CSV table of all heavy atoms in Angstrom, one decimal:
chain,number,residue,atom,x,y,z
A,1,PRO,N,-33.7,54.0,-10.3
A,1,PRO,CA,-33.5,53.5,-11.7
A,1,PRO,C,-34.8,53.5,-12.5
A,1,PRO,O,-35.9,53.6,-11.9
A,1,PRO,CB,-33.0,52.1,-11.4
A,1,PRO,CG,-33.6,51.7,-10.1
A,1,PRO,CD,-33.7,53.0,-9.3
A,2,TYR,N,-34.7,53.4,-13.8
A,2,TYR,CA,-35.8,53.4,-14.7
A,2,TYR,C,-36.7,54.7,-14.6
A,2,TYR,O,-37.9,54.7,-14.8
A,2,TYR,CB,-36.8,52.2,-14.4
A,2,TYR,CG,-36.0,50.9,-14.1
A,2,TYR,CD1,-36.1,50.3,-12.8
A,2,TYR,CD2,-35.3,50.3,-15.1
A,2,TYR,CE1,-35.5,49.1,-12.5
A,2,TYR,CE2,-34.6,49.1,-14.8
A,2,TYR,CZ,-34.7,48.5,-13.5
A,2,TYR,OH,-34.1,47.3,-13.2
A,3,ALA,N,-36.1,55.8,-14.2
A,3,ALA,CA,-36.8,57.0,-14.0
A,3,ALA,C,-36.0,58.2,-14.6
A,3,ALA,O,-34.8,58.2,-14.6
A,3,ALA,CB,-37.1,57.3,-12.5
A,4,SER,N,-36.8,59.1,-15.2
A,4,SER,CA,-36.1,60.3,-15.8
A,4,SER,C,-36.0,61.4,-14.8
A,4,SER,O,-35.2,62.3,-15.0
A,4,SER,CB,-37.0,60.7,-17.0
A,4,SER,OG,-38.3,61.0,-16.6
A,5,HIS,N,-36.8,61.4,-13.7
A,5,HIS,CA,-36.7,62.4,-12.7
A,5,HIS,C,-36.6,61.7,-11.4
A,5,HIS,O,-37.2,60.7,-11.1
A,5,HIS,CB,-38.0,63.2,-12.7
A,5,HIS,CG,-38.1,64.2,-11.6
A,5,HIS,ND1,-37.2,65.3,-11.5
A,5,HIS,CD2,-38.9,64.3,-10.5
A,5,HIS,CE1,-37.5,66.0,-10.4
A,5,HIS,NE2,-38.5,65.4,-9.8
A,6,ASP,N,-35.7,62.2,-10.5
A,6,ASP,CA,-35.4,61.6,-9.2
A,6,ASP,C,-35.6,62.6,-8.1
A,6,ASP,O,-34.8,63.4,-7.7
A,6,ASP,CB,-33.9,61.2,-9.2
A,6,ASP,CG,-33.6,60.3,-8.0
A,6,ASP,OD1,-34.4,60.3,-7.1
A,6,ASP,OD2,-32.6,59.6,-8.0
A,7,ALA,N,-36.9,62.6,-7.6
A,7,ALA,CA,-37.3,63.5,-6.6
A,7,ALA,C,-36.5,63.2,-5.3
A,7,ALA,O,-36.2,64.1,-4.5
A,7,ALA,CB,-38.8,63.5,-6.3
A,8,LEU,N,-36.3,61.9,-5.0
A,8,LEU,CA,-35.6,61.5,-3.8
A,8,LEU,C,-34.2,62.1,-3.7
A,8,LEU,O,-33.8,62.6,-2.7
A,8,LEU,CB,-35.6,60.0,-3.7
A,8,LEU,CG,-34.8,59.4,-2.5
A,8,LEU,CD1,-35.4,59.9,-1.2
A,8,LEU,CD2,-34.9,57.9,-2.5
A,9,ALA,N,-33.4,61.9,-4.8
A,9,ALA,CA,-32.0,62.5,-4.8
A,9,ALA,C,-32.1,64.0,-4.6
A,9,ALA,O,-31.2,64.5,-3.9
A,9,ALA,CB,-31.3,62.1,-6.1
A,10,ALA,N,-33.0,64.6,-5.2
A,10,ALA,CA,-33.1,66.1,-5.1
A,10,ALA,C,-33.3,66.5,-3.6
A,10,ALA,O,-32.7,67.4,-3.1
A,10,ALA,CB,-34.3,66.6,-5.9
A,11,HIS,N,-34.2,65.8,-2.9
A,11,HIS,CA,-34.4,66.1,-1.5
A,11,HIS,C,-33.2,65.8,-0.7
A,11,HIS,O,-32.9,66.6,0.3
A,11,HIS,CB,-35.6,65.2,-1.0
A,11,HIS,CG,-37.0,65.7,-1.4
A,11,HIS,ND1,-37.4,67.0,-1.1
A,11,HIS,CD2,-37.9,65.1,-2.1
A,11,HIS,CE1,-38.6,67.1,-1.6
A,11,HIS,NE2,-39.0,66.0,-2.2
A,12,ILE,N,-32.5,64.7,-1.0
A,12,ILE,CA,-31.3,64.4,-0.2
A,12,ILE,C,-30.2,65.4,-0.4
A,12,ILE,O,-29.5,65.8,0.6
A,12,ILE,CB,-30.8,63.0,-0.6
A,12,ILE,CG1,-31.8,61.9,0.0
A,12,ILE,CG2,-29.4,62.7,0.0
A,12,ILE,CD1,-31.5,60.5,-0.5
A,13,TRP,N,-30.1,65.9,-1.6
A,13,TRP,CA,-29.0,66.9,-1.8
A,13,TRP,C,-29.4,68.2,-1.1
A,13,TRP,O,-28.5,68.9,-0.6
A,13,TRP,CB,-28.9,67.2,-3.3
A,13,TRP,CG,-28.1,66.2,-4.0
A,13,TRP,CD1,-28.4,65.4,-5.1
A,13,TRP,CD2,-26.7,65.9,-3.8
A,13,TRP,NE1,-27.4,64.6,-5.5
A,13,TRP,CE2,-26.3,64.9,-4.7
A,13,TRP,CE3,-25.7,66.4,-2.9
A,13,TRP,CZ2,-25.0,64.3,-4.7
A,13,TRP,CZ3,-24.5,65.8,-2.9
A,13,TRP,CH2,-24.1,64.8,-3.8
A,14,ARG,N,-30.7,68.5,-1.0
A,14,ARG,CA,-31.1,69.7,-0.3
A,14,ARG,C,-31.1,69.6,1.3
A,14,ARG,O,-30.7,70.5,2.0
A,14,ARG,CB,-32.5,70.2,-0.7
A,14,ARG,CG,-32.6,70.7,-2.1
A,14,ARG,CD,-33.9,71.5,-2.3
A,14,ARG,NE,-35.1,70.6,-2.1
A,14,ARG,CZ,-35.7,70.0,-3.1
A,14,ARG,NH1,-35.2,70.1,-4.3
A,14,ARG,NH2,-36.7,69.2,-2.9
A,15,GLU,N,-31.5,68.4,1.8
A,15,GLU,CA,-31.7,68.3,3.2
A,15,GLU,C,-30.7,67.3,3.9
A,15,GLU,O,-30.7,67.2,5.1
A,15,GLU,CB,-33.1,67.8,3.4
A,15,GLU,CG,-34.2,68.7,2.8
A,15,GLU,CD,-35.4,67.9,2.4
A,15,GLU,OE1,-35.5,66.7,2.9
A,15,GLU,OE2,-36.2,68.4,1.6
A,16,GLY,N,-30.0,66.5,3.1
A,16,GLY,CA,-29.2,65.5,3.7
A,16,GLY,C,-30.0,64.2,3.9
A,16,GLY,O,-31.2,64.2,3.5
A,17,MET,N,-29.4,63.2,4.4
A,17,MET,CA,-30.0,61.9,4.6
A,17,MET,C,-30.8,62.0,5.9
A,17,MET,O,-30.4,61.4,7.0
A,17,MET,CB,-29.0,60.8,4.6
A,17,MET,CG,-29.7,59.4,4.5
A,17,MET,SD,-30.5,59.2,2.9
A,17,MET,CE,-29.2,58.6,1.8
A,18,SER,N,-31.9,62.7,5.9
A,18,SER,CA,-32.8,62.8,7.1
A,18,SER,C,-33.4,61.4,7.3
A,18,SER,O,-33.4,60.5,6.5
A,18,SER,CB,-33.9,63.8,6.9
A,18,SER,OG,-34.8,63.4,5.8
A,19,PRO,N,-34.0,61.1,8.5
A,19,PRO,CA,-34.7,59.8,8.8
A,19,PRO,C,-35.7,59.5,7.7
A,19,PRO,O,-35.8,58.3,7.3
A,19,PRO,CB,-35.3,60.0,10.2
A,19,PRO,CG,-34.4,61.0,10.8
A,19,PRO,CD,-34.0,62.0,9.8
A,20,GLU,N,-36.5,60.5,7.3
A,20,GLU,CA,-37.5,60.2,6.3
A,20,GLU,C,-36.9,59.9,5.0
A,20,GLU,O,-37.4,59.0,4.3
A,20,GLU,CB,-38.5,61.4,6.2
A,20,GLU,CG,-39.3,61.7,7.5
A,20,GLU,CD,-38.4,62.4,8.6
A,20,GLU,OE1,-37.4,63.0,8.2
A,20,GLU,OE2,-38.8,62.3,9.7
A,21,ASN,N,-35.9,60.6,4.6
A,21,ASN,CA,-35.2,60.3,3.3
A,21,ASN,C,-34.5,59.0,3.3
A,21,ASN,O,-34.5,58.3,2.4
A,21,ASN,CB,-34.2,61.4,3.0
A,21,ASN,CG,-34.9,62.7,2.6
A,21,ASN,OD1,-36.1,62.8,2.2
A,21,ASN,ND2,-34.2,63.8,2.7
A,22,LEU,N,-33.9,58.7,4.5
A,22,LEU,CA,-33.2,57.4,4.6
A,22,LEU,C,-34.2,56.2,4.5
A,22,LEU,O,-34.0,55.2,3.8
A,22,LEU,CB,-32.5,57.3,6.0
A,22,LEU,CG,-31.8,56.0,6.2
A,22,LEU,CD1,-30.8,55.6,5.2
A,22,LEU,CD2,-31.2,56.0,7.6
A,23,LEU,N,-35.4,56.3,5.2
A,23,LEU,CA,-36.3,55.2,5.1
A,23,LEU,C,-36.8,55.0,3.7
A,23,LEU,O,-37.0,53.9,3.2
A,23,LEU,CB,-37.5,55.5,6.1
A,23,LEU,CG,-38.6,54.4,6.1
A,23,LEU,CD1,-38.0,53.1,6.5
A,23,LEU,CD2,-39.8,54.8,7.0
A,24,LEU,N,-37.1,56.1,3.0
A,24,LEU,CA,-37.6,56.0,1.6
A,24,LEU,C,-36.5,55.4,0.7
A,24,LEU,O,-36.8,54.6,-0.1
A,24,LEU,CB,-38.0,57.4,1.1
A,24,LEU,CG,-38.7,57.4,-0.3
A,24,LEU,CD1,-39.9,56.5,-0.3
A,24,LEU,CD2,-39.1,58.8,-0.6
A,25,TYR,N,-35.3,55.8,1.0
A,25,TYR,CA,-34.2,55.3,0.2
A,25,TYR,C,-34.0,53.8,0.4
A,25,TYR,O,-33.8,53.0,-0.5
A,25,TYR,CB,-32.9,55.9,0.5
A,25,TYR,CG,-31.7,55.3,-0.1
A,25,TYR,CD1,-31.5,55.1,-1.4
A,25,TYR,CD2,-30.7,54.7,0.8
A,25,TYR,CE1,-30.4,54.5,-2.0
A,25,TYR,CE2,-29.6,54.0,0.2
A,25,TYR,CZ,-29.5,53.9,-1.1
A,25,TYR,OH,-28.4,53.3,-1.6
A,26,LEU,N,-34.2,53.3,1.7
A,26,LEU,CA,-34.1,51.9,2.0
A,26,LEU,C,-35.3,51.1,1.4
A,26,LEU,O,-35.1,50.0,0.9
A,26,LEU,CB,-34.1,51.7,3.5
A,26,LEU,CG,-32.8,52.2,4.2
A,26,LEU,CD1,-32.9,52.1,5.7
A,26,LEU,CD2,-31.5,51.5,3.7
A,27,CYS,N,-36.4,51.7,1.3
A,27,CYS,CA,-37.5,51.1,0.6
A,27,CYS,C,-37.2,51.0,-0.9
A,27,CYS,O,-37.5,49.9,-1.5
A,27,CYS,CB,-38.8,51.9,0.8
A,27,CYS,SG,-39.5,51.8,2.5
């Protein structure tokens, strides 16, 4: 939220919810 660009969502769409993406999302 409060962002015009979402690098995290872009990675998740490309790679799925990997452990690294999941931890960053939980943070």
